[in-house]
Each structure stands twice: as C-alpha cells, then as structure tokens.
Amino acid sequence: MKALLVASGIAPGRALFLRSAREADMTIAIDGGLRVFRDYGLVPDLIVGDMDSVEAELLKSYRVKSDLVAVPAEKNETDAALAVDEAVRRGAKKILLLGATGGRIDHLLSNLMLLKYALVKGTVLTLEDDEQEITLHRGIFDLYGQKGQTVSIIPMNQQAVVTAKGLYYPLEKLVLTNEKPRGVSNLFLTDHAVIESDDFVFICKNKP
C-alpha cells in the first residue's frame, strides 16, 4: 500500500500533487497541509496533527469528510512523525511526503530524519517537491534517472564508504564523511547507476 502525506511546508505544484494523489491508496493531510487538498479540490482520507497551523473554519469543513486524528500541542513527536506512524499502522509500505521542504530548517531536518524512522518500521519513505527527490539507502542499490541529471550522495551518519558506477564522477570505495561536503552534484551518465554503501546515505536527485 502506498500513502501520500502532505505537510505544511512549501506546497507542491498542481501536477505533482494530483499525480501523487492518483497513485496513492491512502492520503493524509498533516495539519496545515490540509490547505493543499483544499486548493486542488481533493479530500484527504485522514487529517493528522495538533491543528495549530490550520484555520479552524477549514478544519471544520473537512471534519465531516475526512477521519481526524487530533493530538495535543504539547507532545514529543512531530505531526509528520505521527502521520508516518498512522500510515504504517494502516498498512503503508511506501510513503511519499510532500510539503516537507522549505520554511523552517528545523522542520526540514526533522523530516529528513523520518526517512530512517520509516525504514526501521519496514516502510520506504520519499521526500519530494517540484525540484528534487530525497531517499535513504544502504547496501547495494539501483538508481534511476535521466542522462545528465544531477544526483548527490550524502552520508547520514559520521561516514559512509561508497562505490558508484554509472555516474560522471565514479566513486570507488570513497569515504564520505559528515565533516567535509563531498559527493554533491554528480551526474547520471545514462538512466541507470549502481551504488554500494556500507552505511546510510541520502540520495538527492534534482529534477531535470
């Protein structure tokens, strides 16, 4: 099952949102992300959050259409983390999170942490906006893109030893660390690359 979650960061463009909604088996508005559903004329299956960033009248108009999971404002988890929990509880194995970039940097950083948070729960999470797509990987994995498309490989933890084939700058057991920014702005040579990493790495693909 694939779930679409929409947070209240920079709103996705119409094409991205509608395509993502069509491909999803379940849709969840995270607090102020409800505005995106309103603006594009769709109704989410579920609304999750402490409702501190959504207008009361807008929430009222959707309460009869969508299930509501309201939580206290004073809590340990972010609204996005609780939405991931709810999606996983309802059977999601793939999650696409829109509206997770832009705005507050602390929210962006915590949303990036959700990539591993979901993976530990057995669910693959992707962050996407109109300019980029961010995923988290470890081990040997395939990457797909377009010839000339920009892709960056960034270690999540202290370091990762990375080999990359099919990219303009080939990597052969290169040690990437969080103390020095390397692995940024590589390019696909074709539409396929193979990456091997001994620890978690963020894969950031810019959209052509």
Side-chain angles (χ1 to χ4, degrees), residues 121-134:
K121 296 174 178 289
T123 300
V124 176
L125 174 65
T126 300
L127 271 59
E128 188 173 356
D129 59 28
D130 287 289
E131 296 183 0
Q132 61 208 328
E133 177 184 294
I134 306 171

Side-chain angles (χ1 to χ4, degrees), residues 6-207:
V6 183
S8 55
I10 292 180
R14 181 181 183 86
L16 172 59
F17 173 78
L18 293 180
R19 171 181 59 79
S20 301
R22 284 194 304 269
E23 295 174 352
D25 302 296
M26 172 174 50
T27 56
I28 300 177
I30 305 173
D31 209 317
L34 183 59
R35 287 188 291 271
V36 177
F37 286 87
R38 175 202 62 192
D39 292 345
Y40 295 132
L42 294 183
V43 177
D45 297 311
L46 188 66
I47 305 169
V48 176
D50 55 21
M51 311 307 156
D52 67 343
S53 62
V54 62
E55 298 81 358
E57 284 302 311
L58 175 60
L59 181 60
K60 182 179 178 181
S61 69
Y62 274 85
R63 291 192 67 168
V64 297
K65 309 173 187 177
S66 308
D67 291 336
L68 178 66
V69 178
V71 297
E74 295 185 3
K75 58 188 185 303
N76 294 323
E77 299 82 5
T78 64
D79 287 342
L82 292 172
V84 168
D85 287 341
E86 196 64 33
V88 171
R89 188 181 71 81
R90 294 176 181 234
K93 293 301 181 184
K94 292 183 179 180
I95 297 174
L96 176 61
L97 178 55
L98 304 180
T101 58
R104 288 173 51 176
I105 296 299
D106 55 342
H107 284 181
L108 171 59
L109 292 173
S110 65
N111 288 334
L112 289 170
M113 293 172 67
L114 291 178
L115 292 166
K116 186 175 180 182
Y117 181 75
L119 203 59
V120 169
K121 296 174 178 289
T123 300
V124 176
L125 174 65
T126 300
L127 271 59
E128 188 173 356
D129 59 28
D130 287 289
E131 296 183 0
Q132 61 208 328
E133 177 184 294
I134 306 171
T135 51
L136 185 69
H137 301 265
R138 182 175 64 177
I140 300 175
F141 54 94
D142 295 302
L143 281 185
Y144 295 93
Q146 298 181 24
K147 182 179 179 180
Q149 183 178 357
T150 301
V151 58
S152 298
I153 305 172
I154 300 171
M156 179 181 189
N157 299 314
Q158 184 173 359
Q159 72 172 42
V161 180
V162 179
T163 296
K165 301 184 185 303
L167 300 180
Y168 182 81
Y169 301 105
L171 310 181
E172 185 62 40
K173 295 185 178 180
L174 179 66
V175 178
L176 299 177
T177 74
N178 61 10
E179 298 174 352
K180 188 175 183 179
R182 299 185 67 183
V184 176
S185 295
N186 215 321
L187 300 169
F188 279 92
L189 288 176
T190 64
D191 62 355
H192 177 235
V194 178
I195 313 297
E196 181 176 1
S197 177
D198 71 339
D199 203 352
F200 288 106
V201 288
F202 294 110
I203 300 296
C204 306
K205 293 194 295 185
N206 286 9
K207 295 185 177 179

